[in-house]
Amino acid sequence: ANPSISVSWYPDWNFDSKLSFSRLTRQFNTTNLKSFSLTEESAEVGAAGFLLDYLQRNSTAKAPHVTGIKVYSDSEYVIIDDSSRRNLEITQNLRDGSTQYTLLECISNAKTSMGKRLLVHWLNFPLKNSSEIASRQDDVQLFFENSTLLEKIRREFSCIYDIERLAGRIAMEKAHGKDLQTLKNSLSQWLKIQTVLESFGFSFIDCAVGQEIIQLIDSSVIDEPSTSLTEGNLIKDGWSQELDHWKNIQKNFSKTLEEYAEEEKKLTGISNLRIKSNANSGYYIEITKGKLEKVPDHFIMRRSLVNAERYTTQKLMDLEKELLESAAKIIELEKELFIEVRKNIGTKIEYLLHTAKEIAYIDVVSSLADSAVIHNWTRPVVDDSTFFKLKDGRHPVVEHHLPHGEFVPNDLFIC
């Protein structure tokens, strides 16, 4: 039916209902699937269990963000067979499978990836329930009639990234520092939008969890972090005392050496004592030949030169060892601390996924309102009657690709 789909063949036992039932209940942490309107004998169980196993095997993770399964009925949506779907060119054209010359092309003004996916879903699964349709239309109309609100929402939605995808990366322990900063910025933007929309009657999930996530990332992860967990450059100063200790060793090592050199000058009376370093010898104390009689017993000979001699001390060796250890310690600690932060956010995946749905919905209804404004579309009256009356009907795809004003509207009446 769809030549672009890649097909792989698996033996029948992969779809065993008992095995799949066990996989699903283990994944959802339930004893059965009654809360999802399924039993072990349900036809959907075999396929769903296999898909879960396929996902886990190919992602090398347990996919903890997959927490349920939704069963829908054909009676909820307008049934469109494959042939009709292709010929209608709703989301793909017949020529090259792209969105050009499709209904999706004409109405797709969604700003976020989440909204774009939801719009495709709405087009592929048109509602049949008139009250549900009216509910969506009411929200579209709200934005349509409030141009200032619509403009503000469309502008600010451009700064929101794919929270659904980011939630998946966090749940599967693949998110890096830039992902968390992107999540923080997107949530911050969404909470601002939420405040505006709530004054228009919209209700959303409690934003306290979102604020907690924003605060956590803002306090722990630096603004421009590395995308690697093995390079450091991840955690802010002040988040961990131990990490700050090792960072200070690196940052203030020159000052530490200066202070130690002054300490030895006072102890030995050698005013020109210097601490130097090179790639071969590391750090050493250099004493000129004229001052050798003042060299104390705790100085350890390293090398004799023509005009000077090089020494070390136990304290200097300890300082150098600490410096050499600091780089590895910083990377190790930053990785551990980042993973800890990521795991903390991972406990709030349900909130992130719910938020992604809210964003997608507002993005779609506001984008449809934007399309209605651009094309001067009107709201159709949808009820449960068998009458169909269309006055000055316009084909959105044909009109979109004709020069302005050339399309001739048509009337249609079916009873």
Side-chain angles (χ1 to χ4, degrees):
N2 192 332
S4 65
I5 293 178
S6 175
V7 178
S8 300
W9 301 96
Y10 291 87
D12 292 348
W13 61 265
N14 279 279
F15 303 91
D16 180 76
S17 60
K18 289 185 178 179
L19 183 60
S20 292
F21 184 82
S22 176
R23 284 175 185 152
L24 293 170
T25 52
R26 188 166 58 248
Q27 176 72 18
F28 304 151
N29 195 28
T30 58
T31 56
N32 55 56
L33 299 176
K34 288 182 180 179
S35 58
F36 305 107
S37 302
L38 294 170
T39 67
E40 187 176 332
E41 291 74 31
S42 298
E44 299 89 347
V45 168
F50 170 73
L51 285 173
L52 177 62
D53 181 59
Y54 178 86
L55 174 64
Q56 292 175 339
R57 282 189 285 110
N58 283 275
S59 64
T60 64
K62 295 182 179 180
H65 57 303
V66 180
T67 57
I69 180 172
K70 181 181 178 182
V71 180
Y72 70 89
S73 170
D74 287 341
S75 61
E76 298 177 52
Y77 306 104
V78 176
I79 298 174
I80 307 174
D81 61 78
D82 290 337
S83 177
S84 298
R85 192 182 299 278
R86 285 196 307 271
N87 290 318
L88 286 170
E89 297 183 302
I90 300 171
T91 59
Q92 290 181 310
N93 66 40
L94 288 169
R95 183 165 55 88
D96 59 9
S98 71
T99 59
Q100 191 176 21
Y101 298 102
T102 65
L103 178 60
L104 178 62
E105 179 196 25
C106 299
I107 66 173
S108 182
N109 288 321
K111 296 290 187 179
T112 70
S113 298
M114 299 164 284
K116 290 173 183 177
R117 288 193 294 270
L118 180 61
L119 180 57
V120 170
H121 176 77
W122 282 10
L123 291 177
N124 284 324
F125 295 90
L127 291 175
K128 292 174 67 175
N129 186 295
S130 59
S131 62
E132 291 180 20
I133 295 171
S135 177
R136 286 183 186 175
Q137 288 180 319
D138 288 342
D139 291 334
V140 173
Q141 186 168 347
L142 185 149
F143 287 105
F144 181 83
E145 294 176 346
N146 291 271
S147 57
T148 303
L149 173 65
L150 177 60
E151 183 180 348
K152 180 180 177 64
I153 294 299
R154 305 313 300 147
R155 183 175 62 252
E156 297 192 357
F157 258 62
S158 300
C159 302
I160 296 180
Y161 290 83
D162 197 338
I163 291 178
E164 189 173 36
R165 176 177 174 273
L166 291 171
R169 288 180 59 79
I170 291 167
M172 300 179 79
E173 300 179 351
K174 292 183 177 181
H176 49 62
K178 288 188 182 296
D179 286 334
L180 296 195
Q181 282 295 342
T182 299
L183 176 64
K184 181 194 79 173
N185 295 334
S186 297
L187 285 177
S188 298
Q189 189 73 5
W190 170 240
L191 294 187
K192 292 177 186 176
I193 295 171
Q194 254 188 250
T195 303
V196 174
L197 292 176
E198 283 172 347
S199 64
F200 285 88
F202 287 99
S203 59
F204 303 101
I205 191 172
D206 185 6
C207 65
V209 177
Q211 291 168 340
E212 183 183 339
I213 294 171
I214 292 168
Q215 181 60 41
L216 173 61
I217 298 172
D218 190 54
S219 301
S220 60
V221 181
I222 66 173
D223 295 337
E224 294 293 334
S226 169
T227 57
S228 170
L229 300 190
T230 57
E231 295 178 357
N233 197 35
L234 290 169
I235 303 298
K236 280 185 174 179
D237 294 343
W239 183 250
S240 163
Q241 288 185 349
E242 185 180 4
L243 178 61
D244 289 347
H245 165 74
W246 290 104
K247 282 185 176 181
N248 285 331
I249 289 173
Q250 277 196 340
K251 189 185 300 181
N252 301 318
F253 193 68
S254 295
K255 183 179 179 182
T256 301
L257 288 181
E258 288 174 9
E259 291 173 351
Y260 177 55
E262 289 300 319
E263 181 184 319
E264 289 293 355
K265 284 179 184 179
K266 290 178 181 179
L267 183 66
T268 62
I270 304 173
S271 59
N272 62 351
L273 180 151
R274 298 286 183 272
I275 297 178
K276 301 180 179 180
S277 69
N278 60 41
N280 295 324
S281 304
Y283 288 88
Y284 55 86
I285 299 171
E286 188 168 280
I287 308 293
T288 58
K289 292 289 187 180
K291 302 290 184 180
L292 293 182
E293 73 279 359
K294 293 186 176 183
V295 173
D297 292 339
H298 68 277
F299 275 34
I300 303 166
M301 171 66 76
R302 293 282 300 272
R303 188 177 179 186
S304 182
L305 303 175
V306 175
N307 299 317
E309 290 187 352
R310 293 174 177 174
Y311 298 87
T312 188
T313 65
Q314 186 59 50
K315 183 172 181 178
L316 183 58
M317 287 190 290
D318 290 343
L319 289 173
E320 184 175 13
K321 181 182 177 183
E322 209 172 25
L323 176 65
L324 294 173
E325 286 179 352
S326 65
K329 282 284 188 181
I330 288 170
I331 289 174
E332 179 186 349
L333 277 171
E334 290 214 38
K335 180 179 179 181
E336 289 176 0
L337 291 166
F338 179 82
I339 289 174
E340 185 180 306
V341 170
R342 189 173 64 186
K343 282 185 176 179
N344 189 320
I345 299 171
T347 63
K348 302 169 177 63
I349 292 299
E350 185 177 351
Y351 166 83
L352 292 177
L353 293 177
H354 190 93
T355 296
K357 290 180 180 179
E358 291 179 341
I359 293 171
Y361 180 82
I362 296 298
D363 190 17
V364 172
V365 294
S366 62
S367 73
L368 291 175
D370 195 31
S371 295
V373 171
I374 292 170
H375 301 292
N376 193 28
W377 290 338
T378 58
R379 174 178 177 171
V381 176
V382 180
D383 56 30
D384 296 321
S385 70
T386 57
F387 290 94
F388 184 87
K389 184 179 180 181
L390 191 64
K391 178 68 175 175
D392 292 332
R394 294 145 56 197
H395 193 298
V397 181
V398 176
E399 186 179 44
H400 182 71
H401 289 279
L402 283 177
H404 181 71
E406 285 197 8
F407 184 85
V408 179
N410 296 277
D411 299 339
L412 179 64
F413 179 72
I414 301 174
C415 61

